[in-house]
């Protein structure tokens, strides 16, 4: 069989399809891209410790996130400007997420309005990712639209008071195509004055609030104190502060600090089902995929995103079984160790 089998295969297909402007925007990271690389490499240092003879004849990858059942512990991360990847943009991704029975997090900087994404995929479970703009009316308008269109959570991205400097994009003169309609101006109008008080304002809209971009125990505790329903351990896919740890390496610290008071999710560098399994072992409830989903979108639109989500689900199922687990809930800290193995 010659078709794409892995996330890496979809990355290669995406590279072939996209022009340099789109490719570099999606690929790139901040600064020297050390964190971008680390996100992927760090997973390989966490070794799996399988148990044997566990009867894994019946593996079920389903779980819940904030009360929503999903087919496997893999959600779609907020990724801006999806029409760069495919003409159908966020509509295709939402339909694919719905077909794969998972949650899509729609970016503030989507190329379709929140209402249009919801209309394109009536049965999709959607969360809205929020950036706070200096022009607060823009942010408020997006939130109101999400609230009236059935979105089920607000995800405040907290690692972006300013946009990181992605030098690859600067070098090629990255530009947003003129015909894209994007709410707010992430390049010039992000509010650098955001504080914990804004979290209280966000929570006032009645939807659960998820804090995306937490990397330390101190901030994890503050997030819980301010009522966050979940935190996402994330470094924005290496696109914000270069030099921060890989998400998987920051996860244990955050999980310990949260101590079960909120759900902990992770994104950054997830390319394989075993990366999902490693994240579960270190205490994440689920992961989000950014680039992996967008590579699928670039390669084959809705069908491509669907196939990436399906292949990850199958890899998770196989990983669980070979680890000796029949469900995400059975994966524990005892199933991983930093290399070299010590137990
Ligand atoms: C992102 N990410 C992001 N995050 C966010 O909160 N709002 C956004 O608009 C975007 N936009 C965006 C565009 C592109 C092209 C990428 C690659 C990423 C970050 C994203 O949600 C997630 O944190 C990372 O993508 C996770 O890393 P991986 O899965 O790409 O390795």
């Amino acid at each position: 069989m010659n078709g794409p089998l892995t996330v890496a295969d979809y990355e290669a297909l995406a590279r072939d399809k996209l022009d340099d402007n789109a490719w570099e925007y999606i690929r790139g990271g901040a600064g020297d891209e050390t964190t971008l690389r680390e996100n992927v490499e760090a997973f390989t240092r966490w070794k799996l410790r399988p148990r044997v003879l566990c009867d894994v004849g019946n593996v079920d990858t389903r779980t819940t996130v904030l009360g929503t059942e999903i087919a496997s512990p893999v959600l779609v991360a907020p990724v801006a400007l999806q029409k760069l990847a495919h003409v159908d943009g966020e509509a295709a991704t939402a339909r694919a997420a719905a077909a794969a029975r998972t949650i899509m997090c729609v970016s503030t900087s989507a190329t379709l309005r929140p209402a249009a994404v919801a209309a394109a995929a009536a049965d999709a479970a959607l969360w809205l990712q929020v950036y706070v703009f200096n022009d607060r009316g823009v942010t408020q308008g997006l939130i109101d639209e999400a609230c009236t269109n059935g979105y089920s959570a607000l995800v405040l991205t907290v690692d972006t008071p300013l946009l990181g400097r992605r030098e690859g994009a600067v070098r090629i003169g990255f530009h947003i195509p003129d015909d894209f309609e994007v709410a707010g101006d992430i390049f010039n109008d992000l509010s650098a004055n955001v504080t914990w008080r804004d979290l209280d304002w966000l929570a006032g809209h009645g939807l659960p609030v998820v804090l995306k971009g937490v990397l330390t125990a101190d901030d994890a505790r503050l997030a819980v104190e301010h009522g966050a329903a979940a935190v996402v351990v994330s470094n924005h896919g290496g696109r914000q502060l270069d030099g921060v740890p890989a998400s998987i390496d920051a996860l244990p610290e955050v999980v310990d600090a949260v101590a079960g008071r909120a759900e902990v999710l992770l994104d950054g560098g997830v390319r394989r089902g075993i990366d999902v399994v490693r994240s579960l072992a270190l205490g994440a409830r689920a992961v989000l995929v950014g680039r992996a989903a967008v590579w699928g979108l670039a390669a084959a639109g809705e069908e491509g995103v669907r196939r990436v989500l399906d292949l990850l689900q199958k890899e998770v199922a196989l990983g669980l079984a070979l680890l000796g687990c029949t469900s995400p809930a059975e994966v524990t800290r005892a199933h991983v160790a930093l290399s070299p193995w010590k137990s």
Side-chain angles (χ1 to χ4, degrees):
M1 183 175 146
N2 296 321
L5 291 182
T6 64
V7 167
D9 290 344
Y10 280 95
E11 178 179 10
L13 287 174
R15 179 64 195 108
D16 286 345
K17 285 254 169 138
L18 296 176
D19 62 24
D20 286 351
N21 191 58
W23 170 254
E24 185 53 38
Y25 176 69
I26 295 163
R27 181 209 67 79
D32 291 323
E33 300 189 337
T34 51
T35 299
L36 176 69
R37 286 187 296 276
E38 268 284 294
N39 269 351
V40 175
E41 289 169 13
F43 274 115
T44 67
R45 293 195 290 269
W46 290 94
K47 304 300 177 190
L48 292 164
R49 306 177 72 239
R51 299 298 308 273
V52 298
L53 300 175
C54 297
D55 184 357
V56 290
N58 225 336
V59 173
D60 186 346
T61 59
R62 281 177 302 171
T63 189
T64 64
V65 173
L66 298 183
T68 300
E69 186 179 287
I70 51 179
S72 90
V74 180
L75 292 72
V76 179
V79 170
L81 304 178
Q82 293 191 13
K83 283 189 184 173
L84 281 174
H86 189 276
V87 62
D88 296 338
E90 291 81 4
T93 308
R95 284 193 281 263
R101 286 180 292 122
T102 192
I103 294 164
M104 174 187 179
C105 193
V106 178
S107 167
T108 275
S109 308
T111 41
L112 288 172
R113 296 286 306 185
V117 181
D123 49 350
L126 302 174
W127 293 356
L128 178 72
Q129 178 264 324
V130 175
Y131 284 135
V132 179
F133 293 105
N134 291 314
D135 181 351
R136 293 246 166 172
V138 174
T139 308
Q140 189 66 59
L142 289 165
I143 293 171
D144 291 345
E145 203 171 309
C147 289
T148 54
N149 283 279
Y151 284 58
S152 52
L154 300 174
V155 181
L156 181 65
T157 299
V158 291
D159 55 19
T160 311
L162 305 166
L163 208 63
R165 187 167 159 86
R166 300 139 196 182
E167 290 156 9
V170 175
R171 283 186 210 285
I172 63 149
F174 171 74
H175 61 280
I176 300 176
D178 291 340
D179 55 336
F180 285 12
E181 285 171 34
V182 183
D185 179 351
I186 45 169
F187 293 103
N188 301 300
D189 198 40
L190 286 174
S191 169
N193 308 115
V194 188
T195 70
W196 292 98
R197 274 197 300 282
D198 295 296
L199 186 50
D200 302 333
W201 157 74
L202 210 59
H205 293 86
L207 293 178
V209 174
V210 179
L211 233 61
K212 173 174 178 283
V214 172
L215 289 171
T216 64
D218 287 337
D219 281 342
R221 275 189 289 269
L222 281 170
V224 171
E225 283 162 21
H226 283 81
V231 297
V232 185
V233 176
S234 171
N235 49 43
H236 213 115
R239 297 163 75 84
Q240 283 299 109
L241 180 61
D242 192 35
V244 300
S247 301
I248 192 68
D249 289 339
L251 178 61
E253 168 176 340
V254 172
V255 167
D256 289 349
V258 167
R261 294 173 294 165
E263 294 185 355
V264 179
L265 310 176
L266 168 143
D267 73 28
V270 174
R271 304 288 182 266
R272 283 286 189 184
I274 54 169
D275 299 335
V276 183
V277 172
R278 287 164 164 138
S279 305
L280 297 174
L282 289 172
R285 185 147 191 98
V287 307
L288 298 81
V289 289
R291 293 183 182 83
V294 176
W295 292 331
L297 180 64
E302 174 187 341
E303 179 68 19
V305 181
R306 172 77 196 273
R307 284 204 231 129
V308 164
L309 293 172
D310 283 350
L311 82 83
L312 284 171
Q313 191 260 337
K314 290 195 176 70
E315 287 187 1
V316 170
L318 181 60
L320 288 175
L322 295 181
L323 196 62
C325 298
T326 61
S327 71
E330 285 180 15
V331 186
T332 68
R333 194 65 195 257
H335 288 102
V336 282
L338 262 187
S339 69
W341 254 26
K342 279 193 228 102
S343 56

